[in-house]
Amino acid sequence: MNRQIKLIWDFRGPAALKTAEHHVKHLNEFIAVEKTALNITGFKELNDMYSIAFMVVEEKEMITVRDLLKPHRGEVYTP
């Protein structure tokens, strides 16, 4: 099994949750257009002023997707 990478976008401020939720819509659109190997996306509220949006990609796709979408950070994904 190939390693999977979770690309993460950080959003801060009072609108962080809504912004992260909206960002996931764009990530899903990207997946549909680019036909990436995985279609795992989501968002999470970490506190009332900090939320994240994320997308999971195969390691072999990570460089291309990273350069196109410019996530703030990434980590190895373990389901």
Side-chain angles (χ1 to χ4, degrees):
M1 182 173 170
N2 293 328
R3 211 159 58 150
Q4 298 174 339
I5 308 298
K6 182 178 182 180
L7 302 175
I8 302 168
W9 290 262
D10 300 296
F11 299 100
R12 300 180 192 281
L17 179 59
K18 287 289 188 185
T19 305
E21 186 177 0
H22 180 77
H23 192 71
V24 169
K25 292 177 184 178
H26 293 294
L27 296 176
N28 288 325
E29 290 170 356
F30 176 85
I31 289 168
V33 169
E34 297 296 325
K35 297 177 177 48
T36 59
L38 300 173
N39 64 350
I40 303 169
T41 60
F43 62 94
K44 184 174 182 180
E45 182 178 36
L46 301 172
N47 65 47
D48 61 343
M49 295 291 277
Y50 178 44
S51 295
I52 63 168
F54 64 87
M55 171 184 185
V56 179
V57 297
E58 293 284 343
E59 187 172 28
K60 65 184 177 195
E61 298 176 311
M62 189 273 300
I63 299 287
T64 303
V65 174
R66 179 200 67 191
D67 290 350
L68 288 169
L69 300 181
K70 303 189 180 350
H72 298 127
R73 56 195 173 96
E75 60 188 38
V76 174
Y77 177 69
T78 50

